[in-house]
Amino acid sequence: MGKDVTVAVGLGERAYDILIGPGLIARAGAEISSRLPGIRTAIITDENVAPFHLEALKAGFEAAGIASSVVILPAGEKTKSFAALQEVVDAILAARLERGDAVIALGGGVIGDLAGFAAGIVRRGMSLIQMPTSLLAQVDSSVGGKTGINSARGKNLIGVFHQPKLVLADTAVLDTLPAREFRAGYAEIAKYGLIDQPDFFAWLEKNWQEVFSGGAARIEAIAQSCRAKADVVARDEFETSDRALLNLGHTFGHALEAAVAYDGARLVHGEGVAIGMALAHRFSVRMNLASPDDAERVEAHLKAVGLPWRMADIPGKLPDADALLAFITQDKKVSRGALTFILTQGVGQSFVARDVPPSQVLAFLKENHPG
Amino acid sequence: MGKDVTVAVGLGERAYDILIGPGLIARAGAEISSRLPGIRTAIITDENVAPFHLEALKAGFEAAGIASSVVILPAGEKTKSFAALQEVVDAILAARLERGDAVIALGGGVIGDLAGFAAGIVRRGMSLIQMPTSLLAQVDSSVGGKTGINSARGKNLIGVFHQPKLVLADTAVLDTLPAREFRAGYAEIAKYGLIDQPDFFAWLEKNWQEVFSGGAARIEAIAQSCRAKADVVARDEFETSDRALLNLGHTFGHALEAAVAYDGARLVHGEGVAIGMALAHRFSVRMNLASPDDAERVEAHLKAVGLPWRMADIPGKLPDADALLAFITQDKKVSRGALTFILTQGVGQSFVARDVPPSQVLAFLKENHPG
């Protein structure tokens, strides 16, 4: 087609390519058979995605001579469970797939996390191909090898690092996404600019409308996000240091998601990240690390694209500041009692702060709480 | 104490030490706190091991200021299940352990495999300390990072590679093992000599009685086994090539275990390996790879130590040769239809044969079947 952009993820023996372009689901059979000849597959997808994309994928697989079995799971976060994991693992074993055969994750972040985890533990690690169908999954969860399920004690507490052999991001599928979901995914795109790519953030401020409307700007924004994430992951695959930068906005964001009991009608993940990023900048101003201009610039961009940027933008009543702090200290990014936050010295100048005093966070939450 | 032997496992960033010596369970607290200061722990053990060793371990932990919670599981292979995995994972999360805290596997191969798997998936990988209490676990399953559970479709089909931070092999606990279990573990010791250490095999032929009676020869035999396994693992951590050598005797052995429906009264794992090793040598003679003298030497040693060495040594009736071949082709070491066996050119000269004709295996099984 010539339209695809390829992003190489440099992880030595575990290096892989991300292909980004329109129509990749229908062309997946051809792409996979040329790169991984002779493999058989198990396609893991959900009830929302299957009606739109499964037939096209299977037709391309058949044309390329790739055998496949299919597991269709209920859509939604509850599918990231031990029970669903066991179902997927058993289906892969029932299909008698071997280590070099591939699990195909066709769906959003939930399917990618679950199917990736299953691929990571069947026969102690099988090949995995990610085919993300949401913007969030295309720019975040399908890149970097994090997989997992939820525990009653918290999200994503159980999983493995398992890198895919190939990621196929079909940008045409994004045309059918609800506007709110697209916007939520866009928050993660903006995040990469805010972490360490000020030029990319400036480009987004100018070109965000074209990213939303589709075409070359969208593909470029997704590719640049994948490149940015791939760079961070290559520096720190197992999250012992720099990879934590990818959590910009996530400490506040996760606490807000927990505070609304993960009620997607009130707040979806990308929206939590958007508010979290704005708060991280505002908190950095309060800590005399960044200038108020930086925080205002971030808030203005989030507002422009239609994302929430402050706690008051969440419909309904929030728990008080003490309760929000409790959600933060329960987060898995807390290490040995010290609070770790991603703070910033300005747009594109984020850093990992490992010793933020809880008292400062509490005071900040009180000042910014909508009451 | 000065009595411990240390074997270093050279795996770069994942390198670790194996300490081998008497009384290490009681001294574990001191050893761990000096190497991994400040960690908290979850001790995973079973109903057979806990009454003998848990109190000594906990007393040492308390003296060293190491906090611990305890999970005691039913003993036996059935514990390598999704249900037990979920129980252990939940207990680790309930104890609020963080990534740098440690899961302690106190027990035989079942506990090591299960607790190691749990440590590999909680928070995408926590620290793990193996404290093997069986001879088999000390010389095999606690070294090399393989972890896992069983599926209804086969043993060890679900798991991860997760290297421990430390292995503490208390050789004094072996004094209380039943003689049959000690002998079964000894089969794996002999295996290392047969793979690629002819001098070690010759040493065992001379010194096996002292290995059985305890003391310095036992410690040396365990240490040499760990060194041998560590060498193979360091060359091929993820079992893409040479690591398969560790399966010497296991293809025949697994088939025999399956043929008796894993009835430990008839055949335990190490006994299956013993017969499997003798068969692998005899089969290599039949394929004109090794001399009959080599096969006889292996058979004589196994007989001398009281291990079974031929199919006729298994009490009760066995399935016929065709059925045994079917168990072999179902084994996970079958790759894309070709049969992979570890064959040998003589004592200590094993190699990976990836294209053994099933017809030859069938003919050999018929010739050696007790009828």
Side-chain angles (χ1 to χ4, degrees), chain A residues 13-14 37-39 82-83 85-86 89-91 93-94 96 98-101 113 117 120-125 145-148 151-153 156-161 238-240 329-332 334-337, chain B residues 13-14 37-40 82-83 85-86 89-91 93-94 96 98-101 113 117 120-125 145-148 151-153 156-161 238-240 329-330 332 334-337:
Chain A
E13 288 181 353
R14 292 182 295 285
I39 63 162
F82 254 110
L85 178 70
Q86 192 169 358
V89 161
D90 196 59
L93 290 170
R96 303 193 71 136
E98 298 170 10
R99 257 200 202 175
D101 293 327
D113 285 359
F117 189 14
I121 64 174
V122 172
R123 298 177 190 275
R124 298 196 185 91
K146 279 194 180 179
T147 73
S151 156
R153 298 175 192 281
N156 297 317
L157 288 177
I158 308 161
V160 293
F161 289 96
F238 300 110
E239 195 171 18
T240 54
T329 60
Q330 275 170 32
D331 195 78
K332 66 180 164 166
V334 177
S335 177
R336 293 178 187 279
Chain B
E13 289 182 352
R14 292 182 293 286
I39 63 162
R40 296 182 302 140
F82 254 110
L85 178 69
Q86 192 169 358
V89 162
D90 197 59
L93 290 171
R96 305 193 69 137
E98 298 170 12
R99 256 200 200 175
D101 293 328
D113 285 358
F117 189 14
I121 63 174
V122 172
R123 298 176 192 274
R124 298 195 186 91
K146 278 193 182 181
T147 74
S151 156
R153 299 175 192 279
N156 296 319
L157 288 177
I158 309 161
V160 293
F161 289 96
F238 300 109
E239 195 170 18
T240 54
T329 60
Q330 275 170 32
K332 67 180 164 166
V334 177
S335 177
R336 293 178 185 281

Side-chain angles (χ1 to χ4, degrees), chain B residues 94-256:
Chain B
R96 305 193 69 137
L97 298 194
E98 298 170 12
R99 256 200 200 175
D101 293 328
V103 174
I104 313 279
L106 175 70
V110 167
I111 289 297
D113 285 358
L114 176 75
F117 189 14
I121 63 174
V122 172
R123 298 176 192 274
R124 298 195 186 91
M126 299 181 47
S127 295
L128 167 68
I129 297 172
Q130 292 277 11
M131 299 190 55
T133 59
S134 71
L135 181 57
L136 182 64
Q138 291 189 356
V139 299
D140 181 23
S141 49
S142 73
V143 186
K146 278 193 182 181
T147 74
I149 58 174
N150 301 326
S151 156
R153 299 175 192 279
K155 289 177 74 172
N156 296 319
L157 288 177
I158 309 161
V160 293
F161 289 96
H162 188 60
Q163 302 294 346
K165 295 282 184 214
L166 182 65
V167 179
L168 301 175
D170 186 337
T171 52
V173 309
L174 304 177
D175 292 334
T176 59
L177 288 187
R180 186 181 172 196
E181 191 184 330
F182 190 91
R183 271 200 303 270
Y186 179 85
E188 298 274 359
I189 293 179
K191 185 187 77 175
Y192 296 111
L194 294 174
I195 289 174
D196 61 357
Q197 314 223 345
D199 293 349
F200 181 46
F201 189 76
W203 183 88
L204 289 170
E205 288 178 310
K206 285 202 197 83
N207 296 286
W208 68 267
Q209 276 139 319
E210 277 127 84
V211 174
F212 275 67
S213 60
R218 178 189 287 175
I219 294 175
E220 180 48 32
I222 294 171
Q224 186 56 27
S225 298
C226 290
R227 273 180 220 117
K229 179 156 187 183
D231 280 352
V232 175
V233 170
R235 285 205 301 271
D236 177 23
E237 183 176 1
F238 300 109
E239 195 170 18
T240 54
S241 58
D242 260 15
R243 186 162 176 164
L245 289 171
L246 297 173
N247 294 322
L248 174 63
H250 282 61
T251 305
F252 285 121
H254 282 163
L256 294 170

Side-chain angles (χ1 to χ4, degrees), chain B residues 8 27 32 44 52 71-72 76 147-148 202 220 244 265 272 312 318 366-367:
Chain B
R27 292 182 284 124
I32 292 168
I44 317 301
F52 290 101
V71 180
I72 301 176
T147 74
E220 180 48 32
L318 282 180
K366 283 183 176 164
E367 290 157 22

Side-chain angles (χ1 to χ4, degrees), chain B residues 41-61:
Chain B
T41 65
I43 301 167
I44 317 301
T45 189
D46 72 28
E47 289 168 354
N48 285 354
V49 171
F52 290 101
H53 305 301
L54 185 57
E55 281 315 305
L57 180 64
K58 285 186 70 173
F61 274 20

